[in-house]
């Protein structure tokens, strides 16, 4: 019987940096406005006010603290920073933070409502290495403006998309489904694609709190139907991000379901250095300015990695999906099973085994379905004699190296594969790379090097 667990890593790889908790919009569902989160921030504000009186302007205190936080994250081995908020563009010194992160060698991306991104901002982002980003838009013009409670926001977001594209930054549109916008999702995606040429969408789970009603399983089925239709009709890439229990979803939709990396390779860190495993939860794990993250991360999260919060059926599930979203039952729940699966105490071993049998059958069904509908002939990759690899950032991890490739995600490489990667520079030939690698790994053949090269995201 398969026994699942999450991968353990010494420290996060990608961090959402909450540059500010403030925002120029007021989305009805925003977890940044959740009461307990506000309470937490208010107590921090008091501390900040005291510091302001003693030292200098709050903004400069904040900036210094953020730069120090970036130093600590760099020392810890974090590879990617995503500027986040609140709305990071309303923090006056955001350009300095961006430049500092870039000089530290982080891969950089961001999530924004786009309201303040003009041509100059887009150029600054591109100049500092940002290649892709997320702009949040929650429906057609009238719907979006009503959701974010500011007229003109839709047009500003669309202008941001235009400026970003002109600067070479590829945007994905993030959409948060809720009662106000769910009926216009299909019209929205079609308009975005046909009139604005947006081809990439990420639809989040709605994390609930007591200010608004949550979505039902039926609502998510409707969303998945729309995703499937739009993908097939328009060729757009759309994911239902934040993970969804695969046992609750027809097999044909599994291809649209994301996985969640929170608490494993992903963390959120705020402008005071407070670190959380998930952006939506209000519970803090510790502080990167005061504690060693490589100690804190395994100490606070090993229970989650062991799946202590999940029912037995997830622990032995043959289609393990991570158990869905840990805060779908509410942003106060830091480690809870997804709202559409049982609590551990609500499930007997008999039920777990029955579900495992059901999931095993669906796993086989999934394989057959995809082989019939989506099997592609294997493409033969032409390899240049002087290969070039996409930009990356890396750190040693366990027996090898963890590497984050720009726009291609994270890979774990053996030391030998990493040695090959290090010498790809667009000038050295494959034989030259082989000769160098052989010095460290005697007996490495050119055929082995070619296999490694083929597995890497080459340009
Ligand atoms: C918190 S915002 C911060 C960045 C920026 N202000 C923006 O809106 O993109 C990041 C993302 O979280 C999403 N979000 C906020 N509250 C949410 C909730 N309760 N459930 C799901 N997603 C939420 C937003 O829609 C947005 O796409
Ligand atoms: S724009 Fe982003 S941070 Fe601002 S209220 Fe909306 S979701 Fe929250
Ligand atoms: S049983 Fe758990 S791990 Fe398996 S698909 Fe359902 S939620 Fe995911």
């Amino acid at each position: 019987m398969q026994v699942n667990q999450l991968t353990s890593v010494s420290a996060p790889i990608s961090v959402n940096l909450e540059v500010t908790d403030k925002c120029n919009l007021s989305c009805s569902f925003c977890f940044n406005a959740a009461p307990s989160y506000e309470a937490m921030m208010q107590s921090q504000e008091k501390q900040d006010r005291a510091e302001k009186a003693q030292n200098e302007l709050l903004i400069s205190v904040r900036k210094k603290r953020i730069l120090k936080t970036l130093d600590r994250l760099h020392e810890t081995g974090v590879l990617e920073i995503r500027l986040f908020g609140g709305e990071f563009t309303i923090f006056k010194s955001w350009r300095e933070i961006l430049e500092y992160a870039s000089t530290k060698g982080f891969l950089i991306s961001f999530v924004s409502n786009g309201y303040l991104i003009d041509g100059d901002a887009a150029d600054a982002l591109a100049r500092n290495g940002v290649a892709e980003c997320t702009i949040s838009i929650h429906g057609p013009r009238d719907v979006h403006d009503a959701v974010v409670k500011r007229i003109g926001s839709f047009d500003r977001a669309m202008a941001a998309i235009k400026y970003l594209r002109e600067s070479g930054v590829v945007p994905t549109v993030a959409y948060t489904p809720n009662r106000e916008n769910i009926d216009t999702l299909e019209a929205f995606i079609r308009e975005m694609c046909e009139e604005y040429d947006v081809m990439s969408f990420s639809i989040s789970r709605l994390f609930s709190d007591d200010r608004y009603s949550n979505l039902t399983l039926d609502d998510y089925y409707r969303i998945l139907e729309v995703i499937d239709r739009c993908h097939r009709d328009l060729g757009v890439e759309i994911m239902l991000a934040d993970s969804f229990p695969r046992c609750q979803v027809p097999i044909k939709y599994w291809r649209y379901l994301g996985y969640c990396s929170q608490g494993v390779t992903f963390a959120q860190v705020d402008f005071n250095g407070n670190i959380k495993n998930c952006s939506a939860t209000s519970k803090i794990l510790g502080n990167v300015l005061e504690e060693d993250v490589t100690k804190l991360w395994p100490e606070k999260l090993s229970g989650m990695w062991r799946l202590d919060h999940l029912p037995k059926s997830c622990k032995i599930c043959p289609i393990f999906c991570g158990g869905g979203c840990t805060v779908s039952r509410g942003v106060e729940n830091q480690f809870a099973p997804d709202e559409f699966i049982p609590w551990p105490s609500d499930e007997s071993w008999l039920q777990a085994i029955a579900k495992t049998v059901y999931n095993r059958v669906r796993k086989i069904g999934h394989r057959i379905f995809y082989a019939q509908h989506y099997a592609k002939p294997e493409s033969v990759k032409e390899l240049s004699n002087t290969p070039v690899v996409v930009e990356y950032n890396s750190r040693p991890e366990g027996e090898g190296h963890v590497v984050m490739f720009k726009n291609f995600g994270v890979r774990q490489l053996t030391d030998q594969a990493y040695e090959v990667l290090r010498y790809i520079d667009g000038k050295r030939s494959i034989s030259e790379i082989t000769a160098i690698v052989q010095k460290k790994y005697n007996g490495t053949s050119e055929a082995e090097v070619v296999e490694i090269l083929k597995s890497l995201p080459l340009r």
Side-chain angles (χ1 to χ4, degrees), residues 28-29 143 147 175-184 206 212-220 222:
S28 46
F29 48 74
V143 175
V147 166
Y175 168 100
T176 301
N178 61 88
R179 287 268 157 261
E180 278 180 272
N181 66 2
I182 187 169
D183 293 335
T184 51
L206 180 69
Y212 49 86
S213 62
N214 211 358
L215 296 182
T216 64
L217 197 51
D218 278 344
D219 291 325
Y220 283 108
R222 280 172 57 208

Side-chain angles (χ1 to χ4, degrees), residues 186 189-190 222-236 238 253 256:
E186 184 155 359
I189 294 172
R190 287 183 184 276
R222 280 172 57 208
I223 290 173
L224 283 163
E225 257 174 61
V226 170
I227 291 179
D228 187 40
R229 208 163 32 244
C230 289
H231 172 71
R232 285 190 286 108
D233 288 1
L234 307 168
V236 291
I238 321 183
Y253 296 145
Y256 304 118

Side-chain angles (χ1 to χ4, degrees), residues 245-247 313-314 317 319-324 341 355 359:
R246 276 153 180 71
C247 50
S313 48
C314 293
C317 178
I319 50 170
F320 183 60
C321 73
I341 61 174
K355 191 163 178 187
N359 281 339

Side-chain angles (χ1 to χ4, degrees), residues 6 10 21 57 96 98 170 183 196 230 248 254 266 277 350 373 377 437 451:
L6 298 175
S10 57
D21 59 319
L57 290 170
E96 281 171 72
L98 167 73
V170 179
D183 293 335
Y196 298 97
C230 289
Q248 300 297 327
W254 286 6
F266 170 83
N277 50 306
L350 198 62
H373 292 84
V437 174
E451 275 316 300

Side-chain angles (χ1 to χ4, degrees), residues 107-342:
L107 296 178
I108 309 172
S109 157
F110 67 87
V111 187
S112 165
N113 59 38
Y115 197 94
L116 289 174
I117 298 182
D118 56 11
D120 186 52
D123 281 350
L125 289 157
R127 238 190 355 265
N128 284 286
V130 176
E132 50 87 32
C133 68
T134 302
I135 299 290
S136 303
I137 313 178
H138 307 297
R141 181 179 286 103
D142 292 353
V143 175
H144 175 78
D145 286 359
V147 166
V148 305
K149 301 194 183 67
R150 187 160 180 183
I151 297 201
S153 302
F154 178 89
D155 291 336
R156 299 285 292 238
M158 295 321 300
I161 286 187
K162 178 178 141 297
Y163 291 128
L164 288 161
R165 280 221 189 95
E166 284 168 2
S167 301
V169 182
V170 179
T172 287
V173 165
Y175 168 100
T176 301
N178 61 88
R179 287 268 157 261
E180 278 180 272
N181 66 2
I182 187 169
D183 293 335
T184 51
L185 174 60
E186 184 155 359
F188 171 62
I189 294 172
R190 287 183 184 276
E191 180 191 354
M192 284 287 110
C193 172
E194 287 162 358
E195 288 182 32
Y196 298 97
D197 209 22
V198 173
M199 294 304 285
S200 173
F201 298 83
S202 164
I203 300 182
S204 48
R205 299 283 303 274
L206 180 69
F207 313 129
S208 68
D209 69 30
D210 50 17
R211 293 168 301 153
Y212 49 86
S213 62
N214 211 358
L215 296 182
T216 64
L217 197 51
D218 278 344
D219 291 325
Y220 283 108
Y221 289 159
R222 280 172 57 208
I223 290 173
L224 283 163
E225 257 174 61
V226 170
I227 291 179
D228 187 40
R229 208 163 32 244
C230 289
H231 172 71
R232 285 190 286 108
D233 288 1
L234 307 168
V236 291
E237 290 304 323
I238 321 183
M239 292 301 284
L240 182 55
D242 300 322
S243 191
F244 203 96
R246 276 153 180 71
C247 50
Q248 300 297 327
V249 174
I251 290 165
K252 65 177 177 175
Y253 296 145
W254 286 6
R255 63 201 306 249
Y256 304 118
L257 303 179
Y259 288 92
C260 184
S261 56
Q262 68 93 355
V264 181
T265 58
F266 170 83
Q268 169 139 333
V269 176
D270 74 11
F271 46 84
N272 288 309
N274 295 319
I275 183 166
K276 302 189 293 179
N277 50 306
C278 166
S279 301
T281 175
S282 54
K283 298 196 176 100
I284 286 167
L285 299 174
N287 190 292
V288 305
L289 298 172
E290 290 158 14
E291 291 160 82
D292 178 353
V293 177
T294 59
K295 285 205 184 111
L296 174 156
W297 201 242
E299 208 175 277
K300 297 284 169 70
L301 294 164
S302 52
M304 188 184 91
W305 298 344
R306 279 195 312 268
L307 313 181
D308 289 354
H309 63 296
L310 290 182
K312 301 170 191 72
S313 48
C314 293
K315 291 179 179 149
I316 55 172
C317 178
I319 50 170
F320 183 60
C321 73
C325 169
T326 59
V327 294
S328 64
R329 278 189 152 100
V331 296
E332 286 313 290
N333 285 300
Q334 193 172 20
F335 305 119
D338 193 283
E339 62 177 323
F340 301 123
I341 61 174

